């Protein structure tokens, strides 16, 4: 990875760990590692679009 590269998209392929299940926020929603990484990238080099490919019950 290039130290000062500009990233514009993030695709996370995973399961419930990627989704953040069992890692509830105070409001009851979930935020997995992919959401945290997307937020950090967006803060540094906006805009970053992100998507998770993690269908429920498939793993």
């Amino acid at each position: 990875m290039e130290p000062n590269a500009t990233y514009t998209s993030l695709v996370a392929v995973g399961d419930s760990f990627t989704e953040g299940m069992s890692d509830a926020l105070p409001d009851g929603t979930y935020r997995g590692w992919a959401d945290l990484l997307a937020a950090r990238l967006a803060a540094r080099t906006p805009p970053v679009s992100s998507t998770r490919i993690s269908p429920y019950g498939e793993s």
Side-chain angles (χ1 to χ4, degrees):
M1 230 195 263
E2 190 176 320
N4 295 314
T6 301
Y7 301 98
T8 59
S9 60
L10 169 68
V11 176
V13 180
D15 55 10
S16 58
F17 176 73
T18 305
E19 183 72 23
M21 302 306 290
S22 299
D23 188 18
L25 296 171
D27 66 0
T29 60
Y30 299 103
R31 183 174 62 182
W33 66 264
D35 292 328
L36 292 170
L37 179 57
R40 284 184 163 233
L41 289 174
R44 180 175 174 172
T45 56
V48 172
S49 63
S50 66
T51 188
R52 281 187 315 275
I53 303 172
S54 53
Y56 294 104
E58 295 295 322
S59 60

